[in-house]
């Protein structure tokens, strides 16, 4: 991509040369800010109004806060202590108020002199510190503070306007110090090069970038803040969408071989044998895919569907269509367990159509091979040979497919299962194995809200499967509060026994394996004060299996499955479970995706609060896959009022994955979602909220597509090219250049 080098401008100046080495070092280490431009884009988290004070009544515990309040009274106490045995110890207690509540500040020792002189009753100031509790009262110990005098040049200059910006700060750097640093560099905002085309700003009534930066850091009214945020949201949405539109445009210029199935070939033979009819959704999505495969540039499609909506069937029909047209299809799965599972279910679905070149193979049959890292040498050599000669039409495998040794005769389609487990680099490495770029189908069972799909997978067209196939049973979900109501947990194990007595099977999922060495780095870390339950390590598969065998599930066959077992052992355990020889499988999240045992009806998730919302939804989708109703029990020791329990209640209350993905996203910062999917790069979103700003993202996407269609090289927009350069640090640049 021939993006122009970033323009030499004041915004690229290192902070060291403007603020001095000490402050610049703290900003780089604690806030990731290195240049004047970085600091100008470190926006205030919120604003305090001069006339209106913070609600001291709502302060969060253990958090670093900044409050604006007035001193109500200040008292100096002397006391005796080991350091000052003659009663010479000094403690200053200052009470501050904001009308909603009172808060105590304490200063000790030599630290009392300055505040004793300055914090007189009636004084107004900003205070920053960590909220703690002493004698059942909230307090800040040794807070940093800044007096708000409203006179004198310096203060008027620093706190100009009626609104005081409060910045995301750290213990090493209080909000007002960041504010002062911003004041120092604010004149440079005039030099900011605008990434948005003039016509777009004019058409949407957006202020210029220098004006937006000025208004977000030094607003005089709330309208200033609204103007600035509206403009800066557009910057973020538009630059990201242009990057994605350029990738889509580059992909569309690539040549590909059109793959159209023969009317009487492999796909037709497969469809004739199907014992059921495809759902309306499956038919609609299949048509979108077949239309894409018939074109002469590569398909790039994201197929998202609820757990159990029949994505594998849609993907298999696409693979058969490509084999029909003389090509090969590869399916990339994130784990060996899943690759083996897919291989098993695909060969079962195809029957003798999967026995190409073998005795008993059907007329149009092809060969379906498995390729994983742990295969024996002979089996691996045979699989590689079948791929190179074209004997194998379909290959299913793990990362092993990406290795240099793997050669294809004519790779026509790549199917990536569970995209969120793969970096973009991996899917591109596999695509690079085609003589011409192969078609690409990315599947995920983690429902993605429309805006996230546009933001993260904006280079892919999207298809959604939202119907469940006929014969799927409803799943009832309940939270089991193990600490408050231990008899509920006892009842859970009874339910497992009842299901086994009816001839069904159960999963028990735990967050940990149980044979790990304690990591000394992690051991030293302080635990988050979420709750008491956090003080013990998460429950482990090996321990729980042992307890169940000897206790509540005595007499049942209980087996374990986890990621560190030998591949052959894992496969053997899965086969025994699938065959119904095992009653209860105690496992880690290796069973999260793709494992299909219709006879399993109960899923008990231990320490459910340790899993994310979408992970719980995935796990739950392993039951209710047959005709008997499913049951999912979320076991947690978290107290009723905790955020973790609210999350579990949300999962228990709905089976709608799209609804849950919205909840999940609202609870996490968007940056996590984008960072993970954008090949691990840091999030570029500071003011844009993916869920709330759906409209802006959709409009920005349309504007970006129109712009790139008419001027793919962005010749007339140096500011936009500079902004893209900043967005695409090296990692992302590769991400977008890989076609």
């Amino acid at each position: 991509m021939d993006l122009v080098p970033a323009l030499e401008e004041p915004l690229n100046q290192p902070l060291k040369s403007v603020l001095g080495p000490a402050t610049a070092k703290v900003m780089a280490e604690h806030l990731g800010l290195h240049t004047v431009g970085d600091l100008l884009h470190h926006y205030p988290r919120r604003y305090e109004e001069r006339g209106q004070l913070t609600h001291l009544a709502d302060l969060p515990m253990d958090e670093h806060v900044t409050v604006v309040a007035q001193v109500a009274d200040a008292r100096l106490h002397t006391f005796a202590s080991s350091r000052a045995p003659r009663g010479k110890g000094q403690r200053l207690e200052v009470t501050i108020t904001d009308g909603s509540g009172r808060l105590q500040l304490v200063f000790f020792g030599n630290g009392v002199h300055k505040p004793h002189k300055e914090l007189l009753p009636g004084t107004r100031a900003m205070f920053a510190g960590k909220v703690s509790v002493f004698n059942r009262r909230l307090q800040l110990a040794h807070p940093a503070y800044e007096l708000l005098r409203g006179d004198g040049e310096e203060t008027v200059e620093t706190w100009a306007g009626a609104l005081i910006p409060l910045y995301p700060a750290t213990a090493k750097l209080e909000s007002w110090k960041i504010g002062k640093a911003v004041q120092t560099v604010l004149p440079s905002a005039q030099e900011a090069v605008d990434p948005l085309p003039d016509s777009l700003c004019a058409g949407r009534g957006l202020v210029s970038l220098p004006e937006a930066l000025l208004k977000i850091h030094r607003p005089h009214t709330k309208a200033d803040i609204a103007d600035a945020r509206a403009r800066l949201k557009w910057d973020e949405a538009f630059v990201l969408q242009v990057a994605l539109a350029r990738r889509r445009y580059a992909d569309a210029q690539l040549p590909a071989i059109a793959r159209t199935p023969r009317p009487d070939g492999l796909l037709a033979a497969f469809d004739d044998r199907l014992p059921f009819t495809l759902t309306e959704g499956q038919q609609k999505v299949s048509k979108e895919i077949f239309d894409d495969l018939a074109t002469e540039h590569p398909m790039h499609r994201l197929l998202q569907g609820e757990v159990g909506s029949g994505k594998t069937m849609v993907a298999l029909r696409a693979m058969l269509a490509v084999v029909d047209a003389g090509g090969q299809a590869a399916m990339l799965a994130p784990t060996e367990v899943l690759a083996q599972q897919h291989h098993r279910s695909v060969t079962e679905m195809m029957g003798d159509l999967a026995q190409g070149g073998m005795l008993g193979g059907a007329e149009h049959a092809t060969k379906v091979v498995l390729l994983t890292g742990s295969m024996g040498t002979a089996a691996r050599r045979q699989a590689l040979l079948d791929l190179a000669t074209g004997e194998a039409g379909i290959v299913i495998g793990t990362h092993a497919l990406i290795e240099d040794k793997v050669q294809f005769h004519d790779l026509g389609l790549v199917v990536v299962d569970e995209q969120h487990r793969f970096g973009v680099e991996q899917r591109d490495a596999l695509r690079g194995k085609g003589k011409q770029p192969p078609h690409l189908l990315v599947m995920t069972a983690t429902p993605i809200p429309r805006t996230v799909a546009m933001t993260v997978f904006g280079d892919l067209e999207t298809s959604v499967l939202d119907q469940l196939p006929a014969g799927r049973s409803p799943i009832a979900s309940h939270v089991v509060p193990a600490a408050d109501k231990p008899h509920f947990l006892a009842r859970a194990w009874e339910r497992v026994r009842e299901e086994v007595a009816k001839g069904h099977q159960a999963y028990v999922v735990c967050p940990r394996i149980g044979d790990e060495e304690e990591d000394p780095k992690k051991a030293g870390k302080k635990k988050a004060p979420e709750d008491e339950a956090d003080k013990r390590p998460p429950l482990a598969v090996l321990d729980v299996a042992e307890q169940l065998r000897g206790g509540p599930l005595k007499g049942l066959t209980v087996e374990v499955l986890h990621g560190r077992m030998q591949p052959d052992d894992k496969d053997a355990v899965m086969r025994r479970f699938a065959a119904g020889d095992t009653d209860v499988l105690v496992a880690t999240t290796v069973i999260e995706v793709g494992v299909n045992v219709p006879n399993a009806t109960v899923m008990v998730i231990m320490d459910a609060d340790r899993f994310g919302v979408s992970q719980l939804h995935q796990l739950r989708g392993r039951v209710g896959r047959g005709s008997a109703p499913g049951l999912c029990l979320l076991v947690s020791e978290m107290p009723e009022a905790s955020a973790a329990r609210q999350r579990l209640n949300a999962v228990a209350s709905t089976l709608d994955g799209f609804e849950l993905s919205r909840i999940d996203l609202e609870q996490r910062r968007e940056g996590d979602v984008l960072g993970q999917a954008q090949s691990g790069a840091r999030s570029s979103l500071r003011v844009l909220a993916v869920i709330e700003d759906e409209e802006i993202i959709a409009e920005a996407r349309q504007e970006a597509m129109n712009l790139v269609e008419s001027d793919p090289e962005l010749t007339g927009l140096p500011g936009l090219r500079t902004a893209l350069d900043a967005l695409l640090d090296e990692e992302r640049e590769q991400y977008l250049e890989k076609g």
Side-chain angles (χ1 to χ4, degrees):
M1 248 188 212
D2 63 341
L3 294 171
V4 291
L7 304 176
E8 271 312 315
E9 52 177 43
L11 269 64
N12 283 339
Q13 246 183 303
L15 285 173
K16 193 163 60 176
S17 60
V18 189
L19 302 176
T23 308
K25 185 171 184 236
V26 177
M27 287 200 166
E29 283 175 9
H30 293 274
L31 296 169
L33 308 176
H34 303 277
T35 64
V36 168
D38 290 345
L39 180 55
L40 285 173
H41 289 294
H42 184 72
Y43 309 130
R45 178 180 284 153
R46 58 193 174 85
Y47 301 85
E48 284 298 349
E49 291 182 60
R50 272 287 166 76
Q52 179 203 355
L53 302 172
T54 334
H55 283 291
L56 291 181
D58 309 332
L59 288 181
M61 275 296 297
D62 276 322
E63 277 193 28
H64 210 82
V65 298
T66 303
V67 296
V68 177
Q70 192 160 340
V71 176
D73 70 55
R75 296 180 187 180
L76 190 61
H77 302 275
T78 54
F79 60 90
S81 70
S82 54
R83 287 191 181 168
R86 296 198 187 128
K88 291 281 176 65
Q90 288 189 309
R91 180 174 81 246
L92 176 66
E93 290 178 2
V94 178
T95 306
I96 58 173
T97 177
D98 68 350
S100 77
R102 295 164 85 80
L103 178 67
Q104 191 161 30
L105 317 177
V106 289
F107 301 87
F108 294 99
N110 294 335
V112 304
H113 305 309
K114 186 166 174 271
H116 190 215
K117 281 201 302 245
E118 294 182 332
L119 297 179
L120 304 172
T123 309
R124 299 192 53 250
M126 294 173 77
F127 302 92
K130 197 170 184 183
V131 182
S132 57
V133 171
F134 181 71
N135 277 347
R136 298 209 194 155
R137 289 169 66 190
L138 291 183
Q139 70 167 26
L140 297 180
H142 282 283
Y145 62 89
E146 176 86 2
L147 302 179
L148 297 174
R149 296 191 184 88
D151 58 42
E153 272 311 293
E154 197 256 356
T155 317
V156 172
E157 191 49 42
T158 310
W159 308 115
L163 293 160
I164 302 167
L166 296 185
Y167 290 88
T170 71
K172 293 263 191 282
L173 206 60
E174 292 90 7
S175 169
W176 56 83
K177 288 187 182 161
I178 297 171
K180 284 181 177 172
V182 170
Q183 298 301 335
T184 308
V185 301
L186 207 49
S188 307
Q190 295 304 332
E191 312 294 328
V193 183
D194 203 323
L196 297 190
D198 295 342
S199 56
L200 193 153
C201 287
R204 296 185 179 274
L206 299 171
V207 299
S208 70
L209 180 58
E211 192 181 336
L213 290 170
L214 211 58
K215 282 183 167 175
I216 201 151
H217 290 296
R218 288 185 69 171
H220 292 285
T221 62
K222 288 187 172 172
D224 284 353
I225 300 170
D227 285 352
R229 289 179 67 84
R231 161 62 215 239
L232 295 167
K233 282 181 178 199
W234 257 96
D235 276 21
E236 290 180 5
F238 185 69
V239 173
L240 185 57
Q241 291 301 334
V242 167
L244 291 163
R246 290 188 80 187
R247 172 164 181 154
R248 268 200 313 276
Y249 180 84
D251 282 339
Q253 309 312 306
L254 295 170
I257 298 167
R259 310 279 182 176
T260 322
R262 300 199 305 275
D264 57 347
L266 179 59
L267 178 63
F270 177 77
D271 282 351
D272 287 346
R273 298 164 173 221
L274 279 182
F276 51 82
T277 49
L278 298 174
T279 64
E280 218 174 290
Q282 285 175 317
Q283 290 172 4
K284 177 177 145 285
V285 169
S286 290
K287 183 181 182 319
E288 291 171 349
I289 291 171
F290 289 155
D291 289 350
D292 282 358
L293 289 174
T295 60
E296 294 190 345
H297 58 84
M299 162 171 85
H300 289 101
R301 192 166 280 282
L302 171 69
L303 170 57
Q304 49 169 329
E306 274 292 11
V307 179
S309 57
K311 291 181 301 299
T312 311
M313 174 58 72
V314 170
L316 175 56
R317 292 184 71 243
M319 295 198 287
L320 296 175
V322 168
V323 175
D324 244 357
Q328 290 170 293
M331 184 184 230
L332 184 60
T335 64
E336 294 212 347
V337 168
L338 193 52
Q340 287 162 344
Q341 177 83 29
H342 276 317
H343 182 254
R344 210 162 27 240
S345 58
V346 163
T347 46
E348 277 166 18
M349 283 196 264
M350 287 176 64
D352 58 4
L353 291 173
Q355 296 171 4
M358 298 181 220
L359 276 174
E363 181 192 350
H364 298 291
T366 185
K367 202 167 183 182
V368 180
V369 301
L370 175 70
L371 188 64
T372 62
S374 61
M375 284 170 72
T377 316
R380 185 182 172 78
R381 192 177 293 129
Q382 184 60 51
L384 290 172
L385 186 64
D386 288 341
L387 288 181
T389 59
E391 185 82 15
I394 295 177
V395 59
I396 296 168
T398 53
H399 295 80
L401 284 176
I402 299 171
E403 290 172 11
D404 294 343
K405 291 195 203 73
V406 182
Q407 300 293 324
F408 287 87
H409 177 64
D410 178 13
L411 181 59
L413 170 67
V414 173
V415 179
V416 180
D417 192 23
E418 286 309 317
Q419 161 64 28
H420 67 282
R421 306 281 193 91
F422 289 103
V424 177
E425 291 79 7
Q426 291 162 322
R427 83 182 192 207
D428 284 335
L430 186 50
R431 282 168 60 195
K433 293 192 173 290
K435 294 190 174 64
Q436 275 190 312
H439 299 282
L440 174 72
L441 179 65
V442 169
M443 300 199 298
T444 176
T446 308
I448 304 164
R450 176 170 161 264
T451 39
V452 181
M454 284 194 293
T455 315
V456 177
F457 299 111
D459 58 325
L460 302 169
E461 298 302 320
T462 305
S463 296
V464 177
L465 269 180
D466 48 13
Q467 273 174 304
L468 289 185
R472 276 296 164 88
S473 302
I475 305 170
S477 306
H478 303 285
V479 177
V480 178
D484 315 350
K485 300 179 179 162
H487 59 287
F488 274 39
L489 183 56
R491 176 72 190 115
W493 300 126
E494 278 171 29
R495 284 291 291 116
V496 171
R497 293 192 84 97
E498 285 163 17
E499 287 298 309
V500 171
K502 289 183 201 163
H504 297 307
Q505 294 161 279
Y507 296 102
V508 177
V509 176
C510 304
R512 219 162 46 97
I513 296 173
D515 60 356
E516 304 89 344
E517 290 292 308
E518 178 67 58
D519 183 343
K521 281 188 196 144
K522 287 185 186 159
K525 280 192 183 163
K526 280 172 75 173
K527 297 265 195 314
E530 164 90 23
D531 234 299
E532 283 303 300
D534 234 17
K535 292 194 174 155
R536 64 160 175 76
L539 292 171
V541 167
L542 301 176
D543 306 339
V544 168
E546 206 49 49
Q547 287 159 14
L548 292 176
R549 282 190 193 112
L553 301 185
K554 198 170 183 174
L556 304 186
T557 49
V558 177
E559 289 214 57
V560 300
L561 178 71
H562 58 75
R564 281 214 285 276
M565 288 164 64
Q566 286 302 314
D568 291 351
D569 298 343
K570 271 191 276 197
D571 198 36
V573 168
M574 268 321 296
R575 279 179 192 280
R576 285 196 293 274
F577 190 64
D581 302 339
T582 306
D583 298 323
V584 179
L585 186 63
V586 183
T588 54
T589 51
V590 289
I591 61 149
E592 180 187 343
V593 281
V595 171
N596 185 19
V597 180
N599 191 43
T601 53
V602 197
M603 162 75 65
V604 183
I605 303 176
M606 308 301 290
D607 279 344
D609 47 89
R610 313 262 180 159
F611 298 96
V613 170
S614 54
Q615 220 177 7
L616 292 169
H617 182 58
Q618 287 285 339
L619 288 165
R620 168 169 64 186
R622 299 303 109 215
V623 295
R625 300 176 81 84
S627 51
L631 174 66
C632 177
L633 301 173
L634 305 166
V635 180
S636 171
E637 292 187 2
M638 285 297 176
E640 184 113 33
S642 62
R645 270 286 281 283
Q646 307 294 310
R647 216 169 53 229
L648 297 182
N649 292 340
V651 174
S653 67
T654 178
L655 289 171
D656 180 344
F658 285 93
E659 178 54 34
L660 287 174
S661 66
R662 282 186 87 95
I663 294 170
D664 196 18
L665 193 56
E666 280 159 9
Q667 289 184 341
R668 300 192 323 207
R669 285 187 17 261
E670 270 94 2
D672 305 347
V673 180
L674 295 177
Q676 191 183 12
Q678 298 279 30
S679 74
R682 64 185 170 74
S683 165
S684 59
L685 302 191
R686 296 182 182 87
V687 285
L688 191 71
V690 176
I691 291 280
E692 288 160 37
D693 298 321
E694 183 159 355
E695 217 170 288
I696 294 178
I697 292 169
E699 289 174 21
R701 178 181 167 123
Q702 198 50 56
E703 292 271 10
M705 278 157 65
N706 298 345
L707 174 68
V708 171
E709 273 306 301
S710 60
D711 179 11
E713 292 305 313
L714 312 178
T715 40
L717 297 164
L720 177 56
R721 291 164 65 132
T722 306
L724 275 173
D725 224 5
L727 174 73
L728 312 175
D729 45 33
E730 278 173 44
E731 187 170 19
R732 293 200 186 187
E733 197 154 346
Q734 293 164 2
Y735 158 68
L736 290 175
E737 276 183 339
K738 285 179 179 158

